[in-house]
Amino acid sequence: MSNLMLRVLVGIALIAVALAAVWFGGIPFWMLCVVLGIVMMGEWADLHATPASTKRLSQYALSVPLAAMMPMLGVGPGFFALGLLAGAAFFVVITTRLSGLARGIFYVGLPIMALLLLRRQEEGIVFTIWALALVWACDIGAYAAGRLIGGPKLAPSVSPNKTWAGLAGGVLLASLFAAFMHYRFGLALRLTLATPALAVLAQGGDLYESWLKRQAGVKDSGTVLPGHGGVLDRLDGLVPVAPVAALLVLLPKFYWW
């Protein structure tokens, strides 16, 4: 099996699992987020050349705020969970003296909290699929446009394969997807109009993780996903998008309050 075919099949399987979890919501969605978060924290630790015992410590620390977000507890993602994330990061930095490792608590924890917040809304399925799929659409559009058009490199010192044409293709496909969500499922106009900026943000997240891998001297953040590398490799664009998407969704509530 070619690497491209393997990549496509694994990608389809990942999307199917994600959509099923979003559809069921509640415990299934929370469990998927927790598993991904623990794996992502381990990969973040590896990118920062952290010893195995210290890596496990950071994963245990992250598990506390993630556990507090369990739907059955009635606490959920919110200011209390945000405080627990800050407490976990503080615990990691004072016990390990590794500020880079402590930053991983927020890097992993904030997007998970944002996704859980999105799913809890009245139109949670629409909001969550929008946030996830705009990143998927951006990745697909960027890959297709980059291969078909090529042209000047976007950031050759960080990621030699990314092009400006790829960025434009990713933004275009993500915007078309948001327009479809608006007309078919009633996605709010402010979210539809914000999608191009979020697509650019997704590409920024991708570049940041590429920079981290270049600093660490590795090609992939992990090997858990055949043809894709690690979980961070697949969710790097979602990391900055999810918190901003959650803020945009919740903005009217804060305004009226």
Side-chain angles (χ1 to χ4, degrees):
M1 184 183 298
S2 69
N3 185 64
L4 178 59
M5 181 60 68
L6 179 63
R7 185 181 180 89
V8 170
L9 291 176
V10 172
I12 292 173
L14 293 173
I15 290 174
V17 170
L19 291 178
V22 171
W23 177 262
F24 286 109
I27 293 296
F29 186 58
W30 169 80
M31 288 182 64
L32 177 63
C33 289
V34 168
V35 170
L36 293 176
I38 296 301
V39 175
M40 289 168 68
M41 191 65 219
E43 292 177 354
W44 175 275
D46 289 337
L47 289 177
H48 289 76
T50 305
S53 59
T54 307
K55 176 173 75 172
R56 288 193 296 271
L57 177 68
S58 66
Q59 290 173 310
Y60 293 149
L62 178 63
S63 68
V64 175
L66 294 184
M69 299 179 201
M70 181 189 300
M72 290 175 59
L73 295 181
V75 177
F79 289 112
F80 179 69
L82 184 60
L84 289 178
L85 282 174
F90 181 70
F91 170 77
V92 169
V93 77
I94 63 171
T95 55
T96 67
R97 305 296 188 212
L98 298 174
S99 59
L101 186 62
R103 285 197 303 273
I105 298 291
F106 289 108
Y107 185 85
V108 175
L110 284 178
I112 289 178
M113 190 177 86
L115 288 174
L116 293 173
L117 270 171
L118 287 173
R119 185 59 185 84
R120 289 185 63 185
Q121 305 307 306
E122 185 176 348
E123 300 177 78
I125 294 179
V126 172
F127 292 148
T128 310
I129 290 178
W130 164 68
L132 292 172
L134 81 85
V135 177
W136 300 339
C138 186
D139 286 344
I140 294 170
Y143 179 80
R147 291 292 298 269
L148 292 173
I149 302 173
K153 302 298 182 181
L154 179 61
S157 62
V158 177
S159 183
N161 294 326
K162 297 190 182 304
T163 64
W164 285 99
L167 174 63
V171 171
L172 176 61
L173 191 58
S175 302
L176 291 174
F177 166 76
F180 167 76
M181 291 288 290
H182 173 69
Y183 287 108
R184 180 65 180 82
F185 299 103
L187 180 69
L189 183 60
R190 72 179 186 282
L191 304 181
T192 305
L193 296 177
T195 298
L198 290 177
V200 174
L201 191 60
Q203 288 291 292
D206 196 330
L207 287 174
Y208 176 67
E209 210 244 341
S210 295
W211 177 80
L212 285 177
K213 291 188 291 186
R214 186 169 288 273
Q215 294 294 108
V218 297
K219 181 178 181 295
D220 297 315
S221 65
T223 58
V224 69
L225 301 175
H228 289 263
V231 176
L232 281 179
D233 292 318
R234 288 281 43 85
L235 301 183
D236 49 11
L238 185 62
V239 168
V241 166
V244 177
L247 284 175
L248 290 172
V249 167
L250 297 175
L251 196 59
K253 295 183 179 181
F254 287 122
Y255 174 77
W256 287 112
W257 182 84

